[in-house]
Amino acid sequence: MMDEMDEIWMLYADDGAQSLDAMEAALDALNGGKGDMGAHIGALFRAVHTFKGNSRVLGLAQVEGLAHLAEDLIGLVRDEGVPLSGEITDILMRTGDALRGMLEETADTRADVEPGPTAGLKQDLRAMIGRLTGRETEAAAPAPAPQAEGAPQKDAMEEAPAPAAAPKPKVPAFDMGLAGLLDQLDGGDGTDFDEFEGDDDEAEVADDDAPEFEPEPEFGEAVEPEVVVEPEPPLELEPEPEPEQAPAPQVKTVAEVTEGKLLAPDPEHHKIFNDMADKTCAALDALIADWAEDSSPKARRQADNLHYAAGQLNLADWLALLGPFLSADAPDLGATRDLSAAMRRLLSGETEPEAVPDALPEAPAPDPVAEPAPVAVHAPEPEAAPKPAPAKKAVPRAKPVVEVTEGKLRADQTYHQIFADMVAKSLEKLDALCASWSEATSLAALRKEADGLCYAAQQLDLASWVALLGPMAEAKGMSHAAAEGHVAALRAHAAQEFGGGDAAPVQSRGPVDPAADGRAFFLVMAELYPLIAEQGTRMSGDAPCTVAERRDLAERIADQAAPRGFVRLVDSALRLSQEPAGHAYRAAELALYEELVSVERSLPASVFDAEMMAPSQILGAWCADHIFETLQSLRKGLEARGAEAGANWFPAFDTLMRQVHFACLNYRIDTASQLTMALIDLFARVRIDQKAPDVILLQMGRGFVDTMELVFDALDQGDTPDTSRIEKMFEEATNACFVASGVMTAKSIETRLGLPPEFHRVMSPESVKTAHEAIREGLHFYVLRADLNDDDALAQGFLEWITTGVVRMITNVTVFLDKATLFDFLVASTLEEDRMVERLAMLDPSGARLMMAQALRVREAPEVEAAEPDSLDLIPMSEVGDSLALLEAVGAISASHAQLEHELTQLASVDLVQDVLEALRAAGVGELEQRVRSVLRDRLEQHNLRLQEISESGAQLSAELSHLQQESVAQRSRPAEVLLRPLKAYVATRARKIGVDASVTYVGGDVMLDQMLIEELRGPLKTLVNLRLAGEYPASRFHISVEAESDHVRVELTDNSPEPAMAPAYGALADEMARKKGALRRVSLPAGAGVRFHLRVPQHMIVLDGMVVRVGHVRYVLPVDAIHRILQTDRLLPVSASGATRMLHIDEGALVPVHPLMPEPAASSGGARLYVVLSSNETRIAIPVDELLGQQLVMLRPLQGVLSGMRDMSGIAILSGGEVGMVVAVSALASGDARKASVAA
Amino acid sequence: MPYNVMVVDDAAMMRLYISSFLKSRKEFKLVAQAANGQEALDKLPDLPDLDLILLDIEMPVMDGLEFLRHAKLKTRAKICMLSSVTVQGSPLAAKARELGADGVVSKPSGTVSHDLEEKTGDELTRVMRALVGA
């Protein structure tokens, strides 16, 4: 009876034969040129593919390798548009024959075939594939002439010239020189270098020392649409020359090239080659670090490229190194590692191999006492051990071992034990070296020790050891501390690798101490910090580092990180070497430091002391140094409102916020550091929903920046910052999702239900909403404890039950009880407590896994509100959100209330008794009896008294409303500091960028301004300072003063540049400000001392104590502060010299210009009239009005739309009763009339 | 090729829900599960091709934040917190971001959220896709 393996081999033989039959049939069809050629090619490919797969399953590497090559070749015809030629079909026929022979042999022997007999065929296949893809090797065969698809070309092929005399098919490549050729090799394969080294491949090859990147746009700047790099089209085969035309004089043959006649003498070519080799090493290392199924062909392709280039330059040592590697069908991880190490040695100029370590060649004879004798079949014969010839390079010495042992050495535990012994001995030696470290001699000894171990590790395919030891063996310089770091890392790795048994010699030194290893790591890193900092400085300056310099630093970091498995640190180091200058580099720098902080967080705090700074300290200081620039960039980005600023908005925001976070940590402002992360979280979640940050978030962000500017400014001045606002903001951030969801906060539900505190953390907006609804429905609340992890059936039953409708799940929380993990479910149900217990018992009769933990009592709302009103939850929302709408609502309510109060007061002031008696008299009712009058008077007086009481309460409420209104406005207000200080930093930064010095002083930083006004001033001020800095004579000093008037804010900006402000841009800015109801004037100071700019912006969102007046049908509000007096008079004096201007005679000799708010009919010019005299800056004007409607607190709102063009009005206000009143801009009115009066005088 | 995902959650039912959630999204494949951070950490070396970790926070033995500290050093897989205690903007969400969580999603109804798919499914899918670059 056949066993399973018999069946498999029989199946292999049958399937293989069928596949090869199919292959042969397809080839015949193709040669015949009949039928659907595409279908024939497809059938051919499938046949070979199936055969290859079967071979691989049975581990027949040689068979699989040949089939693989054939498949690759067919793939070129099927997928890459390579025309089918007779040469191709012929070689495939040969391959089919060879495969058939292999099939018979392997099916018979059940073992792989020897590689020798088919080596030539494989080489031919590779050469052909190389030619067809533009990747010829020196063994390349001549290219076939172009031909029609499917046409038999066997004869033509047979007539092709011999390889040595063949014309090089890629003629144009030679015209490019080697650099171009190498570039083509790099790029021709698509993305090999790109894959590991970003997008800089060509630039690096062409000019390794040139800074290659343009700075990226800053956060918030307009981002150009991203340029999408189209994938390059597949490399098209050049039209190949006819044989008789090809050997033009300037065209070199492959043979000539490989003889070095063309290119080898040029030193520039060698430089380029070395660079290419360096890149190849890096690419191989990347493959080694992340070895995968497809790594082998990639490694081979890398080596193949370099091999070709070496051939062009006739570099025998490189050819000798790469050739054997390429001879393997599928180089494995070990071979790739060997190659990389050898290439690096060759690159570093080492020509003589170090002495082979003693232990390894003698390895087959370990101590017979300690260990059983090695298994004979695996132990290599002593004479088969490597005996490197002195003249050979490093890798060739390793090759014989690999070839002889064919990988068995790597699998032999005996060798691993020997290696462990070697490590232990080496560690002792290295400890001794470190203990008596001498700069002069110790490094060489350390390198030698490391090199010996490294070699052994290579032999055993111990990747992690090679990665650890390689840098030590190749170190060109090393401090004592760095050496200690390396040794500690080695020891830690030994402990990790060799486990805890007694047999592991290194373990005798005790378990690895993470703290010691961590300290060792950071000791080495400490040497690199200055280099990282220097590179950062250079990358932000005019002389950025070269690619090679950056790569070198990245490798030094990676050398430390890789052996310890810090993969993300390795990645971030690599990223640091790749990102362009500007924001991207800054982000990479931050990422690197953050990864180091991650390492720090995994270690005990004791690792760091006064002598060694923790990376978090370095990062904190780095971020603190740049904090004002960071905040400025943040503000800019937030002003750009996120979504409009492009896809890069959030990453830039994230980077900047993280910098603020670490700056906060630097100053130990923990709440602020948490707040930054909370805000990142809020913005990140919005971002993932692909929504633009809403106004609440943006406002929160801006408020954060404002606050942090003040905080850091205080710290900068050595003051203690006020952090109370930060704590409040953090609480708001925590509640933001509840506010955004329109539900009450978790706290209110927790209070009403008396929830255990552990539920606090799991109350989501969803849970709160569900709970709130359940409370409204009058459901009962319970906490049910469940032990579900070990009883799937119960878990399933319980979870189904709580979703049926009888019970509604609010939320649940994990409870750790001793070693058990339980869950407390907060549920709501119509069931009374006893019924609930019954239902639980039905689900879990044992009562052990499911029980009632608590029945909750829902507290009445007033009871809760007395303790903590729900309405309080809304207060933060008004603070953090865009409070404008809410503020307007408060204003409207306040105004309406004022109207009611007014009516009530009027009603209360009426003498009702008198009023009623008069009414009775008027109706002809006679005098009432005294008794009736007494009762009536008594009742009406009581009523009047009640009315007065209500009126007084109303007045009190009105005062509270006014206070609330003022508070609301105050919450929108910020000191002018938040405008001026960033402007100061902005000027300094701008000046630095253009290479000058400039400073800013200011007064009025404590003037409170509405945020909207701050925003309106920010742009013009920036524009002005930019203009004044960009002139031929840039200003070096600016002085700013800020003053707030009742209806506008005045800002003066004075500089010391003698250059007059004549550019059109100033005019444009003035026009823009005028459109917004503001003004900009320019005044040149005497003797070229500078220019002063006067900016005026109308006040927004202020609460105004106003006198409401009526003129015609329009209501106006006159600021009470500006009212000089109110009078009724006819003492008008016309002034003929000033048009229709009239003057009002108010005192002895005092004349005030009359300014009607609307055109008056001529008839109204005579007779007594009511006037309100207003005063502004010593100027007075008289406003004729029809009626005084009373004093009110009103909220001034900016004029918008068509109203924005109105002159002499600063805004509108909603009045009591809902009417709209125009708020008079007294200063504008006065200044205009002052001019007229001046003219009149 | 689907992206490989490991789920770390101490609640067996939750692992089941997440597993079911992943099954309905063909671009993701559940390759490993762990009931706490230590168990997950032990599995990491055997999962070199891991793309994503969905990580709970409150777990016995080693909680999610502690795991995050260590895993951030040892794996390139993206780590997405999926927890009931990471309500947006909350201190724990902020802490997770600080420790380097690549994404944070809140469970909608507590530790064992049977309504994960219904209420958070879209958001979780978007986050997962964004993290792995799908």
Side-chain angles (χ1 to χ4, degrees):
Chain A
M1 187 177 171
M2 281 195 300
D3 65 17
E4 197 173 323
M5 283 314 293
D6 291 332
E7 282 186 37
I8 290 171
W9 278 104
M10 188 170 287
L11 204 58
Y12 162 73
D14 289 346
D15 274 2
Q18 284 178 27
S19 295
L20 293 176
D21 289 346
M23 180 184 178
E24 202 172 272
L27 283 168
D28 284 342
L30 288 167
N31 277 332
K34 293 177 184 173
D36 182 349
M37 302 306 281
H40 297 326
I41 295 286
L44 180 64
F45 186 90
R46 283 192 300 277
V48 176
H49 181 76
T50 305
F51 190 86
K52 183 193 77 172
N54 290 349
S55 309
R56 183 170 53 203
V57 168
L58 289 168
L60 305 173
Q62 293 299 331
V63 185
E64 182 204 350
L66 181 61
H68 197 148
L69 285 168
E71 186 187 64
D72 284 351
L73 181 58
I74 301 164
L76 291 177
V77 177
R78 191 185 69 160
D79 305 323
E80 305 293 334
V82 171
L84 182 71
S85 67
E87 188 188 25
I88 293 175
T89 52
D90 183 64
I91 200 166
L92 288 174
M93 283 288 193
R94 283 170 57 202
T95 306
D97 291 345
L99 287 174
R100 200 176 287 280
M102 287 172 147
L103 175 68
E104 287 169 5
E105 184 179 341
T106 51
D108 190 35
T109 62
R110 297 191 179 184
D112 203 2
V113 296
E114 289 296 321
T118 54
L121 177 58
K122 284 180 181 171
Q123 191 62 17
D124 289 349
L125 280 163
R126 276 192 210 104
M128 183 174 288
I129 292 167
R131 271 205 323 279
L132 293 173
T133 54
R135 297 170 159 275
E136 302 90 326
T137 66
E138 71 277 15
Q147 59 192 0
E149 186 180 346
Q153 294 292 324
K154 191 170 182 178
D155 293 345
M157 185 203 70
E158 282 171 350
E159 290 165 14
K168 176 128 184 18
K170 302 280 288 181
V171 174
F174 280 86
D175 295 336
M176 290 186 248
L178 182 60
L181 196 60
L182 296 182
D183 280 354
Q184 193 180 49
L185 279 175
D186 277 359
D189 185 36
T191 56
D192 283 346
F193 278 112
D194 291 351
E195 189 175 343
F196 304 111
E197 301 186 21
D199 298 323
D200 51 350
D201 51 352
E202 294 196 1
E204 285 178 40
V205 172
D207 185 3
D208 207 20
D209 290 331
E212 73 280 38
F213 302 112
E214 288 295 321
E216 288 198 343
E218 294 291 323
F219 178 44
E221 279 184 4
V223 180
E224 292 292 325
E226 287 182 19
V227 177
V228 177
V229 180
E230 294 291 338
E232 289 189 7
L235 188 63
E236 289 180 13
L237 290 177
E238 307 270 346
E240 288 157 358
E242 293 296 327
E244 61 274 18
Q245 296 170 342
Q250 74 276 24
V251 178
K252 305 296 177 186
T253 64
V254 171
E256 284 171 321
V257 170
T258 54
E259 285 164 16
K261 288 176 185 172
L262 173 65
L263 300 169
D266 188 344
E268 184 61 23
H269 291 155
H270 285 278
K271 182 178 175 297
I272 294 168
F273 177 86
N274 282 346
D275 188 56
M276 186 180 175
D278 193 35
K279 289 173 70 176
T280 306
C281 278
L284 289 176
D285 288 348
L287 284 172
I288 290 165
D290 201 12
W291 191 260
E293 197 176 327
D294 61 346
S295 298
S296 179
K298 284 182 180 173
R300 202 171 184 289
R301 209 157 49 230
Q302 292 288 342
D304 196 26
N305 285 343
L306 195 64
H307 185 264
Y308 175 67
Q312 300 292 74
L313 292 167
N314 198 21
L315 302 174
D317 46 358
W318 282 96
L319 290 170
L321 183 64
L322 295 160
F325 181 82
L326 290 170
S327 68
D329 289 333
D332 62 6
L333 174 62
T336 307
R337 189 179 296 111
D338 290 346
L339 177 68
S340 173
M343 283 170 61
R344 286 205 184 282
R345 289 178 187 176
L346 207 51
L347 270 174
S348 68
E350 284 185 27
T351 53
E352 294 295 325
E354 297 287 331
V356 177
D358 294 340
L360 202 60
E362 296 160 10
D367 182 357
V369 178
E371 287 294 324
V375 181
V377 70
H378 284 164
E381 294 298 321
E383 59 271 25
K387 300 288 183 191
K392 284 191 176 179
K393 308 280 186 230
V395 158
R397 89 181 159 178
K399 200 68 192 170
V401 175
V402 175
E403 284 171 351
V404 169
T405 58
E406 291 181 346
K408 289 171 183 170
L409 184 64
R410 293 171 192 154
D412 194 323
Q413 286 306 309
T414 307
Y415 287 97
H416 284 269
Q417 182 59 46
I418 293 166
F419 180 77
D421 287 339
M422 287 174 66
V423 171
K425 284 176 187 168
S426 289
L427 278 172
E428 284 174 12
K429 287 181 190 171
L430 291 170
D431 280 340
L433 269 176
C434 287
S436 58
W437 185 259
S438 154
E439 297 289 344
T441 58
S442 299
L443 176 60
L446 180 142
R447 284 183 52 176
K448 187 178 176 187
E449 199 65 38
D451 189 54
L453 269 184
C454 188
Y455 174 70
Q458 283 174 349
Q459 302 293 76
L460 292 169
D461 199 11
L462 300 173
S464 58
W465 283 99
V466 174
L468 190 64
L469 291 159
M472 288 177 73
E474 292 169 8
K476 294 186 173 57
M478 193 182 290
S479 68
H480 185 195
E484 284 187 330
H486 279 294
V487 175
L490 215 55
R491 174 167 295 111
H493 193 60
Q496 188 183 345
E497 288 286 300
F498 300 132
D502 292 339
V506 287
Q507 199 60 22
S508 62
R509 302 183 70 89
V512 65
D513 178 1
D517 183 51
R519 187 171 173 82
F521 170 75
F522 280 111
L523 275 171
V524 179
M525 286 308 301
E527 294 182 358
L528 301 180
Y529 291 149
L531 302 179
I532 298 169
E534 186 195 339
Q535 183 167 296
T537 307
R538 285 180 60 190
M539 290 302 288
S540 60
D542 296 331
C545 300
T546 64
V547 171
E549 286 171 326
R550 294 169 65 186
R551 191 185 300 148
D552 179 59
L553 178 58
E555 283 176 1
R556 291 179 70 178
I557 299 167
D559 284 348
Q560 293 303 314
R564 293 171 168 90
F566 300 155
V567 289
R568 293 200 191 202
L569 182 55
V570 173
D571 292 347
S572 67
L574 191 65
R575 188 178 156 200
L576 197 69
S577 72
Q578 292 173 336
E579 293 290 6
H583 173 73
Y585 184 83
R586 178 71 67 85
E589 207 173 356
L590 175 69
L592 177 79
Y593 281 125
E594 284 204 88
E595 290 303 336
L596 287 167
V597 171
S598 291
V599 178
E600 176 193 340
R601 285 185 183 130
S602 70
L603 297 171
S606 60
V607 167
F608 303 94
D609 53 27
E611 291 177 3
M612 188 164 71
M613 275 182 89
S616 56
Q617 290 175 284
I618 295 166
L619 177 53
W622 180 73
C623 293
D625 281 349
H626 299 94
I627 188 61
F628 288 111
E629 290 167 46
T630 305
L631 289 171
Q632 195 176 333
S633 300
L634 262 176
R635 180 186 298 286
K636 201 171 169 185
L638 288 164
E639 282 168 6
R641 289 182 64 87
E644 286 107 66
N648 291 330
W649 190 87
F650 179 77
F653 172 81
D654 182 61
T655 301
L656 292 168
M657 287 293 279
R658 284 179 179 276
Q659 289 177 52
V660 179
H661 166 75
F662 285 105
C664 292
L665 285 181
N666 185 58
Y667 286 106
R668 299 177 190 281
I669 324 170
D670 292 342
T671 313
S673 68
Q674 285 182 40
L675 174 59
T676 52
M677 283 298 164
L679 287 174
I680 286 175
D681 187 54
L682 290 172
F683 276 87
R685 301 213 196 190
V686 173
R687 177 227 188 187
I688 211 69
D689 284 339
Q690 297 178 333
K691 291 183 205 158
D694 64 16
V695 67
I696 291 180
L697 268 184
L698 286 170
Q699 185 68 13
M700 205 184 281
R702 289 185 194 126
F704 168 78
V705 173
D706 288 344
T707 309
M708 295 316 295
E709 275 176 350
L710 291 175
V711 165
F712 281 106
D713 194 49
L715 290 165
D716 204 33
Q717 304 294 324
D719 297 335
T720 305
D722 176 13
T723 54
S724 58
R725 172 81 189 138
I726 298 171
E727 281 158 16
K728 207 170 178 182
M729 289 181 85
F730 188 42
E731 194 182 330
E732 288 162 6
T734 306
N735 286 331
C737 61
F738 295 97
V739 175
S741 310
V743 298
M744 61 181 72
T745 60
K747 202 170 182 181
S748 55
I749 288 291
E750 288 165 40
T751 310
R752 287 199 71 176
L753 295 180
L755 272 183
E758 57 267 24
F759 279 97
H760 175 67
R761 289 178 298 175
V762 294
M763 291 300 285
S764 64
E766 284 281 344
S767 307
V768 170
K769 197 175 169 187
T770 311
H772 190 62
E773 285 168 3
I775 289 174
R776 279 187 183 166
E777 292 171 33
L779 302 185
H780 306 287
F781 285 80
Y782 305 99
V783 176
L784 309 179
R785 177 154 295 179
D787 180 3
L788 302 175
N789 269 352
D790 299 325
D791 190 337
D792 290 347
L794 175 65
Q796 195 67 46
F798 174 70
L799 291 168
E800 277 173 13
W801 174 62
I802 61 170
T803 53
T804 50
V806 176
V807 176
R808 200 176 301 170
M809 187 168 81
I810 311 295
T811 187
N812 54 79
V813 63
T814 312
V815 179
F816 299 115
L817 205 63
D818 298 327
K819 289 184 179 178
T821 302
L822 311 175
F823 303 99
D824 275 358
F825 287 80
L826 172 64
V827 299
S829 173
T830 52
L831 298 176
E832 297 288 345
E833 188 175 346
D834 55 339
R835 296 279 297 153
M836 176 61 78
V837 173
E838 275 178 29
R839 297 298 290 269
L840 294 178
M842 285 167 68
L843 283 164
D844 176 29
S846 74
R849 291 188 180 276
L850 195 56
M851 65 199 79
M852 164 93 69
Q854 201 175 345
L856 302 171
R857 185 179 69 88
V858 182
R859 296 166 67 191
E860 292 303 315
E863 191 182 347
V864 175
E865 280 163 9
E868 190 180 0
D870 277 351
S871 57
L872 284 181
D873 291 331
L874 293 175
I875 290 175
M877 183 183 177
S878 69
E879 293 173 13
V880 301
D882 187 352
S883 54
L884 193 58
L886 185 60
L887 205 51
E888 287 187 353
V890 172
I893 293 168
S894 182
S896 300
H897 186 269
Q899 173 71 14
L900 288 175
E901 192 215 337
H902 176 71
E903 297 288 333
L904 201 59
T905 306
Q906 279 191 334
L907 197 59
S909 64
V910 172
D911 185 345
L912 278 178
V913 177
Q914 195 58 38
D915 195 40
V916 168
L917 289 176
E918 282 176 7
L920 288 171
R921 270 197 296 272
V925 178
E927 282 293 315
L928 299 177
E929 279 183 38
Q930 183 60 35
R931 194 163 55 92
V932 174
R933 287 176 62 180
S934 177
V935 171
L936 189 61
R937 179 177 295 278
D938 186 48
R939 286 295 178 146
L940 287 175
E941 278 182 352
Q942 279 183 27
H943 183 72
N944 230 7
L945 196 62
R946 181 70 183 142
L947 269 178
Q948 281 172 1
E949 283 173 0
I950 293 171
S951 176
E952 281 168 16
S953 298
Q956 195 179 342
L957 188 59
S958 180
E960 285 174 10
L961 264 174
S962 298
H963 180 69
L964 177 62
Q965 200 172 358
Q966 284 169 331
E967 281 282 298
S968 305
V969 170
Q971 281 174 3
R972 285 182 51 85
S973 299
R974 297 286 183 275
E977 280 278 337
V978 299
L979 167 70
L980 298 173
R981 203 158 18 76
L983 191 66
K984 191 176 175 179
Y986 179 78
V987 167
T989 309
R990 291 293 302 176
R992 260 202 313 277
K993 278 188 180 170
I994 59 172
V996 297
D997 285 327
S999 62
V1000 175
T1001 55
Y1002 56 80
V1003 292
D1006 54 349
V1007 172
M1008 297 303 288
L1009 304 175
D1010 185 77
Q1011 290 175 59
M1012 196 186 293
L1013 197 143
I1014 289 174
E1015 295 303 316
E1016 283 183 7
L1017 280 170
R1018 195 190 310 279
L1021 282 172
K1022 279 185 179 175
T1023 305
L1024 285 175
V1025 296
N1026 275 338
L1027 286 168
R1028 301 301 288 164
L1029 284 170
E1032 192 176 348
Y1033 301 99
S1036 62
R1037 282 202 312 274
F1038 292 92
H1039 181 75
I1040 306 171
S1041 71
V1042 179
E1043 285 181 55
E1045 299 285 336
S1046 61
D1047 58 354
H1048 73 276
V1049 171
R1050 200 169 57 240
V1051 179
E1052 282 183 7
L1053 171 70
T1054 310
D1055 66 54
N1056 65 346
S1057 168
E1059 203 168 317
M1062 302 299 288
Y1066 295 105
L1069 187 59
D1071 292 345
E1072 176 65 23
M1073 289 203 67
R1075 273 196 293 278
K1076 293 179 178 173
K1077 300 292 294 175
L1080 169 65
R1081 288 192 299 117
R1082 299 162 266 175
V1083 178
S1084 290
L1085 301 180
V1091 174
R1092 177 170 297 148
F1093 297 90
H1094 297 266
L1095 293 91
R1096 192 170 60 81
V1097 182
Q1099 283 268 33
H1100 302 307
M1101 304 311 298
I1102 58 169
V1103 174
L1104 195 69
D1105 191 2
M1107 173 60 72
V1108 183
V1109 299
R1110 180 181 63 77
V1111 180
H1113 297 297
V1114 181
R1115 281 165 168 74
Y1116 292 93
V1117 179
L1118 306 174
V1120 168
D1121 288 349
I1123 295 176
H1124 175 67
R1125 63 182 291 189
I1126 299 171
L1127 72 165
Q1128 192 160 17
T1129 180
D1130 58 356
R1131 300 176 67 190
L1132 284 174
L1133 179 68
V1135 180
S1136 57
S1138 184
T1141 302
R1142 292 171 297 160
M1143 306 296 277
L1144 184 69
H1145 192 189
I1146 56 169
D1147 289 317
E1148 282 302 315
L1151 293 175
V1152 177
V1154 175
H1155 187 115
L1157 292 173
M1158 61 170 52
E1160 294 193 307
S1164 69
S1165 59
R1169 183 90 196 265
L1170 196 58
Y1171 292 91
V1172 179
V1173 180
L1174 303 170
S1175 148
S1176 171
N1177 289 333
E1178 309 295 327
T1179 304
R1180 287 181 286 185
I1181 52 170
I1183 308 283
V1185 303
D1186 295 331
E1187 190 183 358
L1188 295 174
L1189 296 175
Q1191 196 172 334
Q1192 283 184 17
L1193 272 180
V1194 296
M1195 188 156 37
L1196 183 68
R1197 276 167 292 186
L1199 295 170
Q1200 291 175 336
V1202 291
L1203 294 178
S1204 61
M1206 290 185 70
R1207 295 179 58 195
D1208 301 334
M1209 297 296 144
S1210 56
I1212 58 166
I1214 295 179
L1215 305 176
S1216 50
E1219 308 99 326
V1220 172
M1222 309 300 299
V1223 182
V1224 175
V1226 180
S1227 57
L1229 213 57
S1231 60
D1233 276 67
R1235 284 197 297 277
K1236 285 181 189 171
S1238 169
V1239 170
Chain B
M1 283 274 282
Y3 295 97
N4 295 327
V5 183
M6 172 160 71
V7 174
V8 188
D9 199 309
D10 59 331
M13 284 307 293
M14 201 61 219
R15 293 199 298 273
L16 203 62
Y17 291 140
I18 299 172
S19 167
S20 160
F21 167 81
L22 290 174
K23 269 182 196 159
S24 62
R25 281 150 184 83
K26 297 296 178 199
E27 69 265 50
F28 297 102
K29 181 184 173 192
L30 181 65
V31 294
Q33 298 187 44
N36 61 60
Q38 186 59 57
E39 200 179 313
L41 210 54
D42 293 342
K43 287 186 176 179
L44 275 184
D46 299 327
L47 300 165
D49 298 326
L50 196 60
D51 297 301
L52 182 68
I53 299 170
L54 294 178
L55 178 64
D56 189 17
I57 286 191
E58 293 194 320
M59 293 181 292
V61 187
M62 179 189 279
D63 69 23
L65 293 180
E66 188 60 20
F67 170 79
L68 185 59
R69 281 181 214 275
H70 293 279
K72 275 279 293 174
L73 301 177
K74 302 287 182 185
T75 179
R76 288 185 173 89
K78 299 290 180 186
I79 302 175
C80 175
M81 311 308 292
L82 177 59
S83 166
S84 55
V85 295
T86 49
V87 174
Q88 61 196 75
S90 66
L92 277 170
K95 189 68 188 172
R97 296 272 180 196
E98 184 187 343
L99 291 177
D102 300 294
V104 183
V105 175
S106 308
K107 288 179 186 171
S109 310
T111 300
V112 183
S113 285
H114 64 285
D115 48 3
L116 177 79
E117 169 98 47
E118 176 195 340
K119 289 185 177 164
T120 319
D122 291 345
E123 183 194 355
L124 182 57
T125 307
R126 277 198 300 276
V127 173
M128 288 169 63
R129 283 183 179 152
L131 292 185
V132 299

